[in-house]
Amino acid sequence: MSSLEEHLLVRKIDMGTVIDHIPPWKAENVLRLLELDRIKRSECSLIVLHNVPSRKYSRKDIIKIYRHYISHEEADIICLVYPTITVNYIRDWRVEKYKPKIPEKIIGRIRCPEPTCISNSPREPIKSRFRVIGELRAIQCEYCDTLVEFERIADLVIRKEGVLNG
């Protein structure tokens, strides 16, 4: 195998976000955590690489989002589930690295799985509120005390209204 064949043949991007060091075969969960459905699809491109070689972790997934920048808050929520990720913001070919950190609280982004929680009531205009309990690898609802393991967060992301189609 030539050295050219050993490297990924995916074009570099000049602007956008690269999410790196995702555990192998977990990129779809990361995409669920992101709110990419709220942007015009005609304005960005998405490249998902699965199970690629990694010197540091043996294998990894990578997500490249051309012409879109994820927020630090979104990166921090992904970090709860996959603490190994790194985020690179690319502007005019220049890379700015961001190492996401585990947030202390998550407000209005995760739905409480407890159906009777007040944050799930359509009559109550309140946002869900979770505090992060790192030693348990869980988040806890501040209203009903329900615990949610980090691994389940991707299934509980609140989708915002106003989906744009491109």
Side-chain angles (χ1 to χ4, degrees), residues 49-103:
L49 302 165
H50 287 288
N51 204 33
V52 297
S54 168
R55 280 182 245 152
K56 191 172 184 179
Y57 297 108
S58 177
R59 309 298 281 169
K60 67 180 178 180
D61 284 3
I62 303 169
I63 297 173
K64 290 186 175 192
I65 310 165
Y66 177 60
R67 299 172 85 188
H68 178 71
Y69 300 99
I70 68 169
S71 70
H72 285 194
E73 178 189 41
E74 288 172 311
D76 292 346
I77 290 173
I78 296 167
C79 181
L80 280 174
V81 183
Y82 303 117
T84 59
I85 71 153
T86 56
V87 177
N88 297 315
Y89 296 105
I90 300 154
R91 291 177 179 85
D92 295 323
W93 302 105
R94 291 189 189 105
V95 177
E96 174 192 328
K97 293 188 178 282
Y98 175 68
K99 178 60 180 145
K101 54 195 170 304
I102 293 177

Side-chain angles (χ1 to χ4, degrees), residues 10-166:
V10 176
R11 187 176 150 247
K12 290 183 178 183
I13 60 174
D14 62 344
M15 64 182 294
T17 307
V18 176
I19 305 168
D20 200 358
H21 302 112
I22 304 166
W25 302 107
K26 301 295 183 181
E28 270 68 31
N29 289 343
V30 172
L31 291 173
R32 259 189 274 149
L33 289 166
L34 297 172
E35 292 184 318
L36 295 180
D37 54 357
R38 68 181 160 75
I39 62 172
K40 287 188 178 182
R41 289 186 178 103
S42 62
E43 293 180 0
C44 77
S45 298
L46 181 70
I47 301 165
V48 179
L49 302 165
H50 287 288
N51 204 33
V52 297
S54 168
R55 280 182 245 152
K56 191 172 184 179
Y57 297 108
S58 177
R59 309 298 281 169
K60 67 180 178 180
D61 284 3
I62 303 169
I63 297 173
K64 290 186 175 192
I65 310 165
Y66 177 60
R67 299 172 85 188
H68 178 71
Y69 300 99
I70 68 169
S71 70
H72 285 194
E73 178 189 41
E74 288 172 311
D76 292 346
I77 290 173
I78 296 167
C79 181
L80 280 174
V81 183
Y82 303 117
T84 59
I85 71 153
T86 56
V87 177
N88 297 315
Y89 296 105
I90 300 154
R91 291 177 179 85
D92 295 323
W93 302 105
R94 291 189 189 105
V95 177
E96 174 192 328
K97 293 188 178 282
Y98 175 68
K99 178 60 180 145
K101 54 195 170 304
I102 293 177
E104 291 179 20
K105 292 186 185 265
I106 303 172
I107 300 170
R109 294 295 312 276
I110 310 295
R111 177 182 50 80
C112 182
E114 175 56 49
T116 60
C117 179
I118 193 167
S119 67
N120 289 324
S121 173
R123 289 191 232 166
E124 296 294 334
I126 59 172
K127 293 182 177 184
S128 63
R129 297 178 62 91
F130 288 89
R131 71 181 140 267
V132 176
I133 306 172
E135 60 272 7
L136 295 179
R137 290 200 40 80
I139 57 176
Q140 185 173 31
C141 178
E142 290 188 358
Y143 298 111
C144 70
D145 293 329
T146 296
L147 287 172
V148 177
E149 299 84 17
F150 286 175
E151 294 75 28
R152 292 190 52 215
I153 291 174
D155 298 325
L156 299 171
V157 172
I158 295 173
R159 297 286 174 207
K160 293 188 178 164
E161 295 178 27
V163 174
L164 300 172
N165 292 315

Side-chain angles (χ1 to χ4, degrees), residues 1-6:
M1 182 181 292
S2 75
S3 64
L4 182 61
E5 291 171 330
E6 291 174 353

